[in-house]
Structure formats: C-alpha cells, structure tokens
Amino acid sequence: MEETVEQIEDLLSQSITAKNAKEVSALITSLSIPELTALVERIPKAKAAVVLRLLDLDRASRLFETLDPAHQADLITALRTEEVLEFFDELDPDDRVSLLDELPQSVARKLFSNLTKQERESTSKLLGFPKDVIGRHMSPEIVDIHDDMTVGDALAIVRHVANDMETIYTLPVVDRQRKLVGVTSLRELFMAESSTIISELMTEAVRAHVNDDAETTARWFLPLDLLAMPIVDSQERYVGLLMWDDAADIVEVEDTEDSARSGASEPLGQPYLATPVLRIVRSRIVWLLVLALSAILTVHVLDTFESTLDKVVTLALFIPLLTGTGGNTGNQAATTVTRALALGDVEKRDVVRVLGREVRVGFTLGAVLGGIGFILASLVFNYQIGLVIGLTLLSICTMAASVGGVMPIIARVVGADPAVFSNPFISTFCDATGLILYFLIAKTVLGI
C-alpha cells in the first residue's frame, strides 16, 4: 500500500496530463477507502480534488464522508459545483451540518438551497440546535416503531425505510404520543414470531436529551458499547439517534482541541500535511504573542531582584532549573485534572479535595527533588546554597502542583475551556511566582 501511495503522490506532484491521470486512476482502483483517505490527507486540496474526480461517484462519496469537516470545506473550493452538490447530498444530516459550520455563509446557503425538501427539513432540525448540545449531532432520520405493534408490522416498516436510515439495527420504541418507552433491535425482531407484540421484546432505553452537553453525553455513552442511543426532547418524545461513531468524533475533536491548546496552539481541524502553511501560522501566532506578553512579568521579577543576583551571582545558575521544574510540575497537575474533568471523575464541587491532594502531591515531589538538590548543590557549592535550592524546590513544587490542579476547575466554573488555563499560562505564572519564592528564600538564608 505504501509503495502505491508513494507512486500516486509522485505522479500528482507533476503537472496533470491525460497520461499520468490515467496512471493515477489505475493505481487508486486498487486502494480501499481507508487507504484513499490516508492518501487524500497527505496531499494538497487541488491534488485531492483530482483523486476524487478520478473515482466513480459511489467511492468518491464514501471517501468524502470519511474526511474531517474542515478538510471537506477546503476541498469544496477545489471541486466543480456539480461535484460538490453530489457529495453534499450524499452526506448524513449530522455530517452535512458539521460541513455547513465550516463553510462561508454564501457557499453554505447555495448548497443548502439545492437539497431536496426532505433533506432540507432534516438538516434544518439540527441547525436549530446550538453547536455544543447533543441534538446538533444526532441523526434525525427515525422510524416509528410503536409498542403495540406486532413484529410483522414492525419489520414491514423497517424494510420500507431501510434505505433512508443511518441505522436500522437499534430500534427505539415509542407509544402513540411518540414518547420513548423502550428499545429493541433488528436481531430481536428476526428471532421473534411475527405475531409477537413489540412491548414484549423491548428493554429499558438508555437516553439523552437534545439539549444535553455534547461532550459530556458522548463521553458517558461511549463506554456503554451501544451502537446507538435514542435522543428525546423535553417531553420525552423520541426525536433522533446518536450513533456510536458520531459520539467518538465528538470526543476526538474535543481531545484534539484540548491537546492543541495545552500546547499553546489552536486545533487545525484537518490533517497536518493537507493544512496550508498560513493556517498553521494563524493557529500558533496569537498564543505566542499572548505568552510573550505574559513573560514580561518574569522579566520584571528578575529586574526587581537584580541587586540580589549582583551579590550572589551563583543564584543565576539555578534559574532555568527552578523555573523549568515549577512549570513542569504545574503542567503535570493541570493535565491530570483537565483529563479528570473531561471524563467526569472530577466535578466543580471537588475543588477543595483536588487542592488538598495536589498540595500533598506537590509537597512530596518537592521533598524528593529538594533533598536531591540540597545534596548536589551543597557538594558543588556550599551548605547555604544547597539549603536555598532544597527549600526553593520544595516550595515551588507545592505551589505549582496546587495552582496547576485548581486552575482547570476554576476555568470550568467561569465557563472557560480548562485547556486554555492549563499549560501555557501555568508555566508563565509558575516562572514568575517561583522566582519570587527563590529570591525571598535566598535573601532569608543568605542574609542579603
């Protein structure tokens, strides 16, 4: 597979002619959809558009569906209008909504207006929900299986709508007022007698409400290992299905966003090699400017204690060690607590418990590192320098772990993204505060 992909990339790197287009077409016919996805994610959008054009409509549509919404939006600018409409029409409503969110309004309106009336209605249902609620990500294509139906009647309905449904294997059951009363499966229907009443086969339904938070819902749903879950409105009426793969996509997007922001960047939203250089620059430049400005605080601390450094120049040698240790300790705590918040292991009300645990963790880490620092600094320099380094490491680790553990929870309380409050800002905060502790301890121990 790798050799074939390399061959295709080499051909596409040249000017596209009838000859090499024919060669590319011959090569891509041997690739599976996952392999084609991997290829398209490695090449520029203009070349990716060529690959899509060389595939038959069915394979091209399946390939297009596997791409991230941001990547799909990029490709749309490189495709002809008729091709875009064909791909857009083939998407499921929830995937279509994700793509519309990435497109300029003028393009989105044009694509939306070309949908059939039925597709416009199903897409509009989802567009009416805020982006961060689970209703935005559900499949609104539902089949009405009533609890008082027979298995034979239910199977007839399923056969009639099967081609229009995202899944027919999980079958929510409703009463005549469309309220969700249970769930059954296609397997259960096939194994039962046609005269059996559906209410005898159904089990209690795990459900979520349309306005529930999307990330929170997806995270507790995934470990249940269910293919799909019914979504209900405020009156407990069945309005859609959340698919397992859509829940996985929600979690992947959130984890990618948290990972990027904890590293002082914005998520790209599409494969790295397919992302334009200027977009990568834009994802990083704002954070770098913010961190550069916040680092001025550290410079101000050094300027304030300049006289202390002049008296004991040896103190300057340990600044990188101490600031690095403080930043790393704070980042470790922040990353751990941010992940615990995402998984639901920690709630906002647990802030005091988290603070207590991180104080103990930080103190223990500081005691170990401080002891080692005291011994080494005493051997290389003298007892007093060793004592300064040991006490500073103890103080910095305790302070950094406490701050790092609490800041993500504070972010959640004020409605901000915990990842934004974690690594970049904690590093800057711990640098400045750690230096203040360092120089205060040094002045006390050394009497300067």
Side-chain angles (χ1 to χ4, degrees):
M1 179 264 182
E2 289 185 7
E3 292 182 2
T4 304
V5 169
E6 288 178 9
Q7 285 179 273
I8 297 173
E9 288 186 34
D10 288 340
L11 288 169
L12 290 174
S13 66
Q14 308 163 19
S15 297
I16 303 300
T17 64
K19 180 180 178 181
N20 57 13
K22 186 176 180 180
E23 291 181 55
V24 171
S25 181
L27 288 170
I28 63 178
T29 55
S30 64
L31 298 180
S32 65
I33 296 299
E35 290 169 339
L36 286 169
T37 302
L39 168 66
V40 168
E41 289 179 342
R42 291 179 52 83
I43 57 180
K45 62 182 180 181
K47 306 298 183 183
V50 171
V51 172
L52 283 166
R53 290 191 182 110
L54 292 174
L55 293 168
D56 62 74
L57 178 58
D58 179 61
R59 295 191 81 208
S61 296
R62 286 163 57 201
L63 169 59
F64 191 77
E65 288 176 9
T66 66
L67 304 176
D68 296 323
H71 199 185
Q72 290 175 339
D74 258 5
L75 279 175
I76 279 178
T77 62
L79 291 166
R80 294 188 295 263
T81 302
E82 62 272 17
E83 294 169 331
V84 171
L85 294 176
E86 288 173 340
F87 295 148
F88 188 68
D89 188 60
E90 290 295 319
L91 293 174
D92 291 320
D94 52 321
D95 296 327
R96 197 180 295 135
V97 167
S98 296
L99 174 55
L100 288 172
D101 288 337
E102 298 289 339
L103 292 171
Q105 285 191 2
S106 58
V107 178
R109 281 197 297 269
K110 182 177 180 181
L111 291 176
F112 187 77
S113 65
N114 279 277
L115 292 172
T116 64
K117 181 181 179 181
Q118 182 180 351
E119 293 292 353
R120 280 201 304 271
E121 288 177 354
S122 60
T123 305
S124 296
K125 287 180 184 178
L126 302 189
L127 287 171
F129 294 106
K131 293 182 180 181
D132 59 348
V133 304
I134 202 63
R136 184 87 168 198
H137 303 273
M138 68 182 182
S139 173
E141 299 164 333
I142 59 178
V143 54
D144 287 335
I145 303 295
H146 296 287
D147 56 347
D148 56 359
M149 280 182 176
T150 64
V151 168
D153 292 337
L155 283 174
I157 292 174
V158 171
R159 288 192 191 98
H160 181 68
V161 301
N163 287 334
D164 300 323
M165 306 298 296
E166 191 166 349
T167 183
I168 57 173
Y169 300 107
T170 297
L171 298 170
V173 181
V174 298
D175 61 18
R176 292 297 170 176
Q177 285 73 48
R178 290 185 55 87
K179 290 188 177 181
L180 182 69
V181 293
V183 67
T184 188
S185 67
L186 191 60
R187 177 189 178 91
E188 294 288 341
L189 297 189
F190 274 131
M191 294 179 64
E193 296 291 334
S194 61
S195 59
T196 304
I197 303 300
I198 294 296
S199 60
E200 299 176 22
L201 301 177
M202 69 184 189
T203 57
E204 185 178 354
V206 175
R207 72 192 71 191
H209 289 78
V210 287
N211 291 314
D212 289 347
D213 180 76
E215 181 185 359
T216 303
T217 303
R219 289 194 184 280
W220 68 254
F221 167 63
L222 288 177
L224 300 179
D225 288 330
L226 298 174
L227 179 63
M229 173 177 66
I231 306 297
V232 298
D233 62 15
S234 56
Q235 279 78 48
E236 296 296 317
R237 290 176 299 199
Y238 170 48
V239 293
L241 271 180
L242 175 65
M243 308 302 297
W244 191 95
D245 60 327
D246 292 326
D249 287 342
I250 294 170
V251 172
E252 180 184 3
V253 168
E254 293 295 335
D255 285 348
T256 300
E257 185 178 271
D258 289 347
S259 176
R261 288 178 174 172
S262 67
S265 180
E266 283 297 309
L268 299 177
Q270 63 187 93
Y272 172 78
L273 291 176
T275 305
V277 171
L278 286 179
R279 183 174 296 177
I280 297 176
V281 172
R282 286 199 300 270
S283 74
R284 301 178 184 178
I285 188 65
V286 174
W287 284 91
L288 290 177
L289 290 172
V290 170
L291 292 176
L293 291 172
S294 62
I296 293 175
L297 180 60
T298 302
V299 176
H300 181 67
V301 172
L302 288 172
D303 182 60
T304 302
F305 289 95
E306 184 179 4
S307 60
T308 305
L309 283 173
D310 288 339
K311 294 177 182 177
V312 186
V313 179
T314 305
L315 294 176
L317 300 175
F318 294 96
I319 290 177
L321 165 68
L322 299 174
T323 55
T325 300
N328 290 337
T329 303
N331 289 340
Q332 287 177 334
T335 300
T336 302
V337 175
T338 299
R339 182 64 176 165
L341 281 169
L343 294 175
D345 295 339
V346 170
E347 303 290 342
K348 290 181 285 189
R349 64 177 182 272
D350 297 320
V351 61
V352 175
R353 294 179 63 189
V354 170
L355 177 61
R357 290 177 70 85
E358 289 300 331
V359 166
R360 285 177 285 163
V361 170
F363 184 87
T364 304
L365 290 171
V368 174
L369 295 176
I372 296 172
F374 169 71
I375 294 171
L376 294 178
S378 297
L379 291 174
V380 176
F381 296 97
N382 58 56
Y383 167 78
Q384 287 182 308
I385 293 294
L387 187 58
V388 170
I389 300 305
L391 290 174
T392 302
L393 283 170
L394 177 64
S395 302
I396 284 179
C397 286
T398 305
M399 176 273 298
S402 303
V403 172
V406 169
M407 286 190 80
I409 301 179
I410 294 175
R412 177 64 63 84
V413 170
V414 299
D417 187 341
V420 174
F421 274 69
S422 56
N423 298 11
F425 290 109
I426 287 173
S427 293
T428 303
F429 175 84
C430 291
D431 285 352
T433 309
L435 287 176
I436 292 173
L437 291 173
Y438 179 39
F439 289 121
L440 290 176
I441 291 172
K443 291 181 73 172
T444 302
V445 173
L446 301 176
I448 53 177

